[in-house]
Structures are given as structure tokens and as C-alpha cells.
Amino acid sequence: MADFDLDLFVIGGGSGGVRAARIAANLGARVAIAEEYRMGGTCVIRGCVPKKLLVYASRFAHEFEDAAGFGWTVEGAKFDWPTLIANKDKEIARLEAAYRKNVSGAGAEIIDSRVVIEDAHTVRVLKTGVRLRAKYILVATGGHPSSLNIPGEELSITSNEAFHLEELPRRIVIQGGGYIAVEFACLFSALGSKVTLVHRGDEILRGFDDDIRAHVRGEMVARGIDVRLNDTIKKIEAHKTHRCAFLSDGAAIEADQVMLAVGRTPNTKNIGLEAAGVKLNASGAIAVDETSRSSVPSIYAIGDVTARLPLTPVAIREGHAVADSLFGNNPWHLDHTNVPSAVFSEPEIGTVGFSEAAAKAAGKPLDIYRTRFKPMKATLSGRDTAILMKLVVEQKTEKVLGVHIVGEGAAEMVQMAAIAVKMGATKRDFDNTVALHPTAAEELVTLRNKVKS
Ligand code: NDP
């Protein structure tokens, strides 16, 4: 180790990189972590956390709507976007400071600069020109919004800018049918924007269970979102008072903002990966083995830059595993199966395990259980919404392969259901669990009738 200045150099101060740096330093390793922008990465600075705060803000709209049915008069309720953004920014600054404190507290050095890898062990700090040699390098540089390469794209925004708009757009056109497009469409709509969602496929949310996809789209349309399928934005023009999005079907939509949410691209450019001989896979992400090791034995990569499963808790576990394995004499790696996820749409989705289509494609004979009902909370208010729950069960073993929920609290419910699925619970185990009444979640343990075998 004497040849090295450091045991671990982490590139990228997002959730995964920070976890790896902190754990490695706690285990006694000499660690530096470089971040060119703000400590906290996509999730904390311009992703999950600020998004969830905006989602909370947006949900007051239907809370006020429901309140009337319960006897409340809510007079003069008004929404102020700049207040929300300012309060959100304060909270993000607090979290960023906490991240910095935790990393330094663990004994890792924070380097506020972009860095470049020069060879398998050397990193150059661009701000100072200093070269540091590390026994291991961990690349945790995340990703950035993909571009569409259309005329006028510079007039559009991505989720990065959506968090800093000076005013709430009165009208917004969003291209994409994935997590980000759907979440922003729902939250802007609830806050009062007129939203058009344009998606190139014949259904939103590819990869999710088909019943969930159709149900969420139905709820979005019922809330006034104009969902246009099999369509794409071909061109954006600036006009004096607005933008105009030209679609492939010939339509032209006027809007205050046009947002592109067409996936994210791993940050692999201009960080010296080629110089070090780090191989990328076909999708341009860093190719790694199950221990997160790249084609260069001293260089590891975790999180979105590897595009395995671009979710924050996954990156955190991958980073933790690398630190434990290299410095804690405790080698382990993350099992990427049965990872729960949520889309904070309105209503939200919680999902874990196989969709019906994926289980079928894997050749598993199935029993499908499904229920759709009006949430109790919406009965007095008369709000037009329904919860959907679905269990995908393997016929032979009775194992619950997938749990899919759309409705208020779906993400919270699925976090718990994921424990059962991960443990290999059977439908019988679900049935043997006594319902907790009155809840929505009780439906998960009282589903008796197969809708399909
Ligand atoms: P997604 O991969 O979820 O969705 C991308 C969308 O863009 C898809 O609908 C895709 O269509 C469409 N698309 C891709 N290329 C084009 C193109 N050239 N022209 C038109 N449409 C295109 O990416 P997001 O950007 O929404 O999110 C990135 C990742 O971040 C997610 O996959 C998720 O892992 C993570 N995330 C997680 C969240 C959460 O946990 N709640 C929230 C936000 C993000 P098609 O389906 O046809 O390919």
C-alpha cells in the first residue's frame, strides 16, 4: 500500500459514491471522494428528493377536494410555486450539508472538482492539477438526461431545469412515457398546469405490468392530462409568448414549457475511462461483473453509470458491498432480483417482482389475482379514482412472484410486501395473514378469486 496515496478514490458524490466512501473510511481505508457539482448527486440534488417534495405539494390539490366531502370548507386555498421552490431549495441545501458532514466525519477527504482517470491507479484533480494514486478507483458518476436531437431542442427543459423554473408553467408538453415523464406530468397537472404527455409507444411505462400501465393512464386521463400515444415531438419553435411543439402526427401544441424525459445516459465521457482501458457495454454504460468490478481489476463502478438498475437504494447497496468487500474482509454483492420500485404518479405505483407478462415469458404457469375498488377515503368526497392490486402467483409452487399496486400508499405497501416476496412467501402465506381492517392493504391478504389461471 505504500506506493499509493489512497486506498480508495471515489469519483462522484451521489448516494452510491458517498455510501462507499463513508463505509470504506469507517473501515480504516484512506479515502478521497471527488464531486464537481453538489454533494448528494442526482437523487438528493435534482431527483428523488426534490421530486417527492413537489409530489407532496401537488397532492394537496385532491386533499382539498376530498376535504369538502368530510365537512370542511377550504376557502381561498392558493398555490404559490416560488414558495415551494424556495422551501425545497432550503431543504436540499440542508441535506447537502449533512452529506458533506457525514463523509468528512467518517474521515474521507472531499475534493470539490472534476477529476480524470489517467491510468488504472491514477486520478488527476482538474482544479489543482494534483495527481493522486489509489489502490482502487470507484466510478460513481451517475447519468444525465438523454437528448432527442431534434430542431429546437435547446428550447426544451429536462427534469434538471424543472426543479428551478421561476414560475409554474400554465401549459406544458412532456415527451416520454417512463418514470420521470409520468411523475412530472402528474405533479404539474395537480398543481394546475395543463399537461400534454407525448409517448412514442402504444402504452406508457414499458416494463411495468400491463394492467398497471393501462390503469395509471386511465387515471391520468381522468385527471385531465392529454396523453398522446404513438407520437413524438419532432421540432420545437420559440414564439413571442410561448413555445410550440410539433408532433409526428402533424399536431402543433402551444405551451409555456416543453420537457423531454426520454431516459438517462450514463456519465462515461471525458473521465479517462478509455485511457485506463475500462470497457463499456453495448448501451454505453460501464461493464461490470457481479462484484461491480470493471474490465480493469483496480477500477470498480456502481450506480447509474453501470445502468444495471438505476435506482438510488440499489446504488447505495452496490457501493456498500464494494467497500465491505475491499476493506472489511466481508465480500458480498447485491442480488438485483425482487427490487421494489415506485412511480410517484397520481395515484402512485408500487411494484415488486415479475409482471404477468415477464412471468409468462419466463415460462411460468400462473394464477392471477386482481382487485379494483374505490378507496374509502374517496367515498364521501365522490372523487373518481380506483385502487388496483394484483398478485402474480406461480401455479406449481404457489409462490407470489409479483405484487403490483396503484393507489394512495402503494409505495409504502409494496416496501413491506417486498419482504414477503424476497423471502419466497406463497399465496397461502398471504392468505394466512389476518387482515388489518379497515385499510386498503388488507385486500392483499383477502384476494380469494383467481381472475386468470
Ligand atoms: P425511463 O427509461 O423510465 O423512460 C424513458 C422514456 O423515454 C420511455 O418511455 C422511452 O420509451 C422514452 N424514449 C426513449 N428514447 C426515446 C426517443 N428517442 N424518442 C422518444 N421517446 C423515447 O427513463 P426516465 O428518464 O423516465 O428515468 C430514468 C431512470 O431513473 C428510470 O428508469 C428509473 O430507473 C429512474 N427513476 C426512478 C424513479 C423512481 O424510483 N420513482 C423516478 C425517476 C427516475 P420506450 O418505453 O418506448 O423505450
Side-chain angles (χ1 to χ4, degrees):
M1 291 234 182
D3 290 335
F4 299 115
D5 305 303
L6 296 162
D7 299 313
L8 178 68
F9 198 111
V10 180
I11 307 177
S15 303
V18 161
R19 173 62 68 91
R22 211 161 50 74
I23 300 301
N26 279 334
L27 289 168
R30 295 166 302 164
V31 180
I33 176 167
E35 170 57 54
E36 65 176 331
Y37 183 53
R38 294 176 68 181
M39 210 66 174
T42 302
C43 176
V44 174
I45 305 298
R46 47 194 179 193
C48 333
V49 175
K51 184 276 312 287
K52 188 83 188 268
L53 294 172
L54 266 52
V55 167
Y56 279 131
S58 71
R59 288 183 177 168
F60 281 94
H62 74 240
E63 293 288 338
F64 289 137
E65 194 186 322
D66 281 351
F70 290 91
W72 287 91
T73 304
V74 184
E75 267 169 10
K78 270 195 301 194
F79 170 68
D80 185 55
W81 173 264
T83 303
L84 170 63
I85 296 303
N87 290 344
K88 178 266 295 174
D89 286 344
K90 246 186 261 163
E91 174 58 8
I92 300 309
R94 186 189 70 77
L95 286 172
E96 184 187 3
Y99 260 65
R100 296 187 82 89
K101 195 166 155 222
N102 288 344
V103 172
S104 321
E109 184 195 348
I110 298 175
I111 298 175
D112 291 299
S113 170
R114 190 171 173 87
V115 298
V116 172
I117 300 172
E118 291 198 327
D119 63 37
H121 294 282
T122 310
V123 173
R124 183 161 50 92
V125 179
L126 292 189
K127 232 182 213 174
T128 57
V130 169
R131 284 189 171 78
L132 290 163
R133 283 182 50 78
K135 187 170 185 202
Y136 298 106
I137 295 169
L138 176 66
V139 183
T141 47
H144 62 275
S146 304
S147 94
L148 261 190
N149 296 318
I150 50 168
E153 182 156 346
E154 68 285 356
L155 301 167
S156 68
I157 60 166
T158 67
S159 51
N160 287 350
E161 294 76 36
F163 291 116
H164 299 286
L165 294 176
E166 281 175 12
E167 49 191 46
L168 179 71
R170 266 188 322 110
R171 302 160 299 176
I172 183 165
V173 181
I174 302 176
Q175 173 82 56
Y179 282 81
I180 296 177
V182 168
E183 289 182 340
F184 275 91
C186 291
L187 76 87
F188 275 127
S189 166
L191 289 175
S193 308
K194 179 173 175 348
V195 178
T196 306
L197 184 79
V198 183
H199 174 48
R200 69 174 176 184
D202 53 14
E203 186 54 283
I204 58 170
L205 294 169
R206 186 162 58 84
F208 286 77
D209 188 273
D210 289 340
D211 285 329
I212 299 299
R213 301 168 73 190
H215 185 82
V216 171
R217 181 170 46 81
E219 292 269 352
M220 289 170 74
V221 170
R223 281 165 175 71
I225 299 174
D226 179 5
V227 180
R228 300 185 178 215
L229 301 174
N230 303 306
D231 218 347
T232 45
I233 300 175
K234 286 287 171 214
K235 185 172 76 165
I236 305 167
E237 272 181 5
H239 291 240
K240 224 182 198 163
T241 55
H242 61 274
R243 311 254 182 274
C244 190
F246 295 88
L247 309 190
S248 52
D249 68 359
I253 304 179
E254 294 186 354
D256 305 298
Q257 297 290 348
V258 179
M259 177 171 165
L260 303 183
V262 291
R264 294 180 60 88
T265 304
N267 287 331
T268 54
K269 293 258 180 334
N270 307 321
I271 49 171
L273 294 174
E274 311 79 5
V278 174
K279 291 207 172 83
L280 305 185
N281 61 26
S283 61
I286 297 181
V288 288
D289 65 15
E290 62 180 13
T291 67
S292 297
R293 191 152 78 159
S294 77
S295 54
V296 177
S298 59
I299 301 182
Y300 286 70
I302 55 157
D304 291 7
V305 76
T306 66
R308 281 174 284 184
L309 200 46
L311 297 170
T312 299
V314 170
I316 289 173
R317 292 275 182 120
E318 289 167 352
H320 201 130
V322 168
D324 274 351
S325 304
L326 295 179
F327 305 109
N329 200 19
N330 173 25
W332 65 279
H333 61 266
L334 179 65
D335 167 15
H336 288 85
T337 61
N338 288 328
V339 171
S341 81
V343 180
F344 294 99
S345 44
E346 184 50 49
E348 73 188 26
I349 304 173
T351 177
V352 61
F354 279 89
S355 67
E356 183 181 343
K360 245 189 218 150
K364 297 176 190 288
L366 303 174
D367 288 330
I368 301 296
Y369 297 82
R370 191 177 52 212
T371 181
R372 196 188 147 101
F373 58 97
K374 194 174 182 81
M376 191 178 187
K377 196 172 164 190
T379 51
L380 298 194
S381 66
R383 189 153 54 90
D384 182 21
T385 183
I387 293 181
L388 178 74
M389 290 184 178
K390 179 168 174 180
L391 297 185
V392 177
V393 178
E394 187 176 29
Q395 228 169 43
K396 200 165 92 202
T397 60
E398 290 189 9
K399 254 192 191 173
V400 177
L401 300 178
V403 178
H404 310 280
I405 305 175
V406 184
E408 188 174 330
E412 308 287 346
M413 285 185 247
V414 161
Q415 175 69 87
M416 295 293 105
I419 301 172
V421 172
K422 193 83 186 164
M423 289 174 77
T426 61
K427 178 67 170 59
R428 198 178 299 246
D429 294 320
F430 274 56
D431 294 346
N432 285 339
T433 304
V434 176
L436 197 162
H437 187 69
T439 60
E442 68 181 301
E443 296 288 328
L444 287 175
V445 297
T446 56
L447 278 167
R448 295 291 180 262
N449 298 322
K450 294 172 201 170
V451 292
K452 267 190 235 169
S453 263

mmCIF file of all heavy atoms in Angstrom, residues 82-99:
data_model
loop_
_atom_site.group_PDB
_atom_site.id
_atom_site.type_symbol
_atom_site.label_atom_id
_atom_site.label_comp_id
_atom_site.label_asym_id
_atom_site.label_seq_id
_atom_site.Cartn_x
_atom_site.Cartn_y
_atom_site.Cartn_z
ATOM 1 N N PRO A 82 -43.174 29.778 -6.402
ATOM 2 C CA PRO A 82 -41.884 30.254 -5.874
ATOM 3 C C PRO A 82 -41.669 29.887 -4.397
ATOM 4 O O PRO A 82 -40.547 29.583 -3.992
ATOM 5 C CB PRO A 82 -41.958 31.776 -6.055
ATOM 6 C CG PRO A 82 -42.906 31.967 -7.198
ATOM 7 C CD PRO A 82 -43.927 30.879 -7.045
ATOM 8 N N THR A 83 -42.739 29.871 -3.599
ATOM 9 C CA THR A 83 -42.586 29.482 -2.187
ATOM 10 C C THR A 83 -42.155 28.018 -2.093
ATOM 11 O O THR A 83 -41.251 27.670 -1.331
ATOM 12 C CB THR A 83 -43.935 29.669 -1.427
ATOM 13 O OG1 THR A 83 -44.328 31.019 -1.568
ATOM 14 C CG2 THR A 83 -43.805 29.306 0.043
ATOM 15 N N LEU A 84 -42.819 27.181 -2.874
ATOM 16 C CA LEU A 84 -42.471 25.759 -2.867
ATOM 17 C C LEU A 84 -41.007 25.567 -3.272
ATOM 18 O O LEU A 84 -40.257 24.831 -2.625
ATOM 19 C CB LEU A 84 -43.395 24.990 -3.827
ATOM 20 C CG LEU A 84 -43.010 23.535 -4.112
ATOM 21 C CD1 LEU A 84 -43.074 22.693 -2.846
ATOM 22 C CD2 LEU A 84 -43.917 22.926 -5.185
ATOM 23 N N ILE A 85 -40.600 26.222 -4.353
ATOM 24 C CA ILE A 85 -39.234 26.042 -4.859
ATOM 25 C C ILE A 85 -38.209 26.552 -3.841
ATOM 26 O O ILE A 85 -37.185 25.907 -3.584
ATOM 27 C CB ILE A 85 -39.067 26.744 -6.236
ATOM 28 C CG1 ILE A 85 -39.993 26.070 -7.266
ATOM 29 C CG2 ILE A 85 -37.624 26.721 -6.723
ATOM 30 C CD1 ILE A 85 -39.793 24.575 -7.455
ATOM 31 N N ALA A 86 -38.499 27.698 -3.220
ATOM 32 C CA ALA A 86 -37.556 28.242 -2.232
ATOM 33 C C ALA A 86 -37.433 27.307 -1.026
ATOM 34 O O ALA A 86 -36.328 27.038 -0.539
ATOM 35 C CB ALA A 86 -38.030 29.631 -1.784
ATOM 36 N N ASN A 87 -38.567 26.790 -0.551
ATOM 37 C CA ASN A 87 -38.519 25.876 0.602
ATOM 38 C C ASN A 87 -37.822 24.570 0.243
ATOM 39 O O ASN A 87 -37.063 24.016 1.041
ATOM 40 C CB ASN A 87 -39.935 25.592 1.120
ATOM 41 C CG ASN A 87 -40.531 26.812 1.793
ATOM 42 O OD1 ASN A 87 -39.808 27.747 2.130
ATOM 43 N ND2 ASN A 87 -41.830 26.817 1.985
ATOM 44 N N LYS A 88 -38.093 24.105 -0.956
ATOM 45 C CA LYS A 88 -37.429 22.880 -1.439
ATOM 46 C C LYS A 88 -35.918 23.115 -1.493
ATOM 47 O O LYS A 88 -35.122 22.278 -1.033
ATOM 48 C CB LYS A 88 -38.013 22.539 -2.825
ATOM 49 C CG LYS A 88 -37.445 21.341 -3.522
ATOM 50 C CD LYS A 88 -36.332 21.665 -4.482
ATOM 51 C CE LYS A 88 -36.726 22.501 -5.667
ATOM 52 N NZ LYS A 88 -35.569 22.897 -6.501
ATOM 53 N N ASP A 89 -35.499 24.259 -2.025
ATOM 54 C CA ASP A 89 -34.054 24.546 -2.139
ATOM 55 C C ASP A 89 -33.379 24.581 -0.768
ATOM 56 O O ASP A 89 -32.247 24.128 -0.606
ATOM 57 C CB ASP A 89 -33.827 25.879 -2.874
ATOM 58 C CG ASP A 89 -34.092 25.747 -4.367
ATOM 59 O OD1 ASP A 89 -34.146 24.599 -4.866
ATOM 60 O OD2 ASP A 89 -34.280 26.781 -5.036
ATOM 61 N N LYS A 90 -34.103 25.118 0.225
ATOM 62 C CA LYS A 90 -33.553 25.169 1.591
ATOM 63 C C LYS A 90 -33.315 23.747 2.113
ATOM 64 O O LYS A 90 -32.290 23.448 2.714
ATOM 65 C CB LYS A 90 -34.562 25.882 2.510
ATOM 66 C CG LYS A 90 -34.045 27.215 3.032
ATOM 67 C CD LYS A 90 -34.997 27.799 4.045
ATOM 68 C CE LYS A 90 -35.875 28.849 3.402
ATOM 69 N NZ LYS A 90 -37.070 29.199 4.137
ATOM 70 N N GLU A 91 -34.286 22.893 1.878
ATOM 71 C CA GLU A 91 -34.177 21.513 2.359
ATOM 72 C C GLU A 91 -33.046 20.770 1.635
ATOM 73 O O GLU A 91 -32.293 20.006 2.252
ATOM 74 C CB GLU A 91 -35.523 20.790 2.160
ATOM 75 C CG GLU A 91 -35.525 19.309 2.491
ATOM 76 C CD GLU A 91 -35.121 18.974 3.926
ATOM 77 O OE1 GLU A 91 -34.967 19.908 4.739
ATOM 78 O OE2 GLU A 91 -34.925 17.780 4.218
ATOM 79 N N ILE A 92 -32.889 21.022 0.351
ATOM 80 C CA ILE A 92 -31.827 20.348 -0.403
ATOM 81 C C ILE A 92 -30.456 20.834 0.100
ATOM 82 O O ILE A 92 -29.519 20.047 0.241
ATOM 83 C CB ILE A 92 -31.975 20.608 -1.929
ATOM 84 C CG1 ILE A 92 -33.329 20.080 -2.434
ATOM 85 C CG2 ILE A 92 -30.831 19.975 -2.719
ATOM 86 C CD1 ILE A 92 -33.670 18.658 -2.065
ATOM 87 N N ALA A 93 -30.356 22.132 0.395
ATOM 88 C CA ALA A 93 -29.090 22.660 0.925
ATOM 89 C C ALA A 93 -28.775 22.011 2.275
ATOM 90 O O ALA A 93 -27.624 21.671 2.576
ATOM 91 C CB ALA A 93 -29.180 24.175 1.068
ATOM 92 N N ARG A 94 -29.804 21.809 3.089
ATOM 93 C CA ARG A 94 -29.599 21.166 4.397
ATOM 94 C C ARG A 94 -29.089 19.729 4.204
ATOM 95 O O ARG A 94 -28.145 19.299 4.854
ATOM 96 C CB ARG A 94 -30.918 21.154 5.185
ATOM 97 C CG ARG A 94 -30.787 20.650 6.607
ATOM 98 C CD ARG A 94 -32.137 20.438 7.269
ATOM 99 N NE ARG A 94 -32.882 19.307 6.734
ATOM 100 C CZ ARG A 94 -32.632 18.031 7.017
ATOM 101 N NH1 ARG A 94 -31.656 17.716 7.849
ATOM 102 N NH2 ARG A 94 -33.347 17.055 6.473
ATOM 103 N N LEU A 95 -29.707 19.028 3.269
ATOM 104 C CA LEU A 95 -29.302 17.639 3.032
ATOM 105 C C LEU A 95 -27.880 17.560 2.477
ATOM 106 O O LEU A 95 -27.099 16.687 2.851
ATOM 107 C CB LEU A 95 -30.267 16.960 2.049
ATOM 108 C CG LEU A 95 -31.634 16.611 2.624
ATOM 109 C CD1 LEU A 95 -32.557 16.127 1.524
ATOM 110 C CD2 LEU A 95 -31.501 15.538 3.698
ATOM 111 N N GLU A 96 -27.559 18.507 1.582
ATOM 112 C CA GLU A 96 -26.219 18.512 1.004
ATOM 113 C C GLU A 96 -25.179 18.698 2.124
ATOM 114 O O GLU A 96 -24.156 18.003 2.161
ATOM 115 C CB GLU A 96 -26.094 19.632 -0.032
ATOM 116 C CG GLU A 96 -24.746 19.626 -0.730
ATOM 117 C CD GLU A 96 -24.550 20.836 -1.648
ATOM 118 O OE1 GLU A 96 -25.434 21.712 -1.714
ATOM 119 O OE2 GLU A 96 -23.481 20.896 -2.285
ATOM 120 N N ALA A 97 -25.468 19.618 3.031
ATOM 121 C CA ALA A 97 -24.542 19.865 4.143
ATOM 122 C C ALA A 97 -24.406 18.614 5.012
ATOM 123 O O ALA A 97 -23.301 18.264 5.465
ATOM 124 C CB ALA A 97 -25.036 21.045 4.978
ATOM 125 N N ALA A 98 -25.532 17.910 5.215
ATOM 126 C CA ALA A 98 -25.492 16.689 6.027
ATOM 127 C C ALA A 98 -24.635 15.621 5.350
ATOM 128 O O ALA A 98 -23.861 14.912 6.000
ATOM 129 C CB ALA A 98 -26.909 16.173 6.254
ATOM 130 N N TYR A 99 -24.763 15.530 4.020
ATOM 131 C CA TYR A 99 -23.944 14.570 3.269
ATOM 132 C C TYR A 99 -22.466 14.876 3.470
ATOM 133 O O TYR A 99 -21.656 14.001 3.722
ATOM 134 C CB TYR A 99 -24.303 14.637 1.777
ATOM 135 C CG TYR A 99 -25.234 13.538 1.341
ATOM 136 C CD1 TYR A 99 -26.538 13.464 1.830
ATOM 137 C CD2 TYR A 99 -24.820 12.571 0.430
ATOM 138 C CE1 TYR A 99 -27.390 12.455 1.434
ATOM 139 C CE2 TYR A 99 -25.675 11.559 0.023
ATOM 140 C CZ TYR A 99 -26.956 11.506 0.528
ATOM 141 O OH TYR A 99 -27.797 10.495 0.120
#
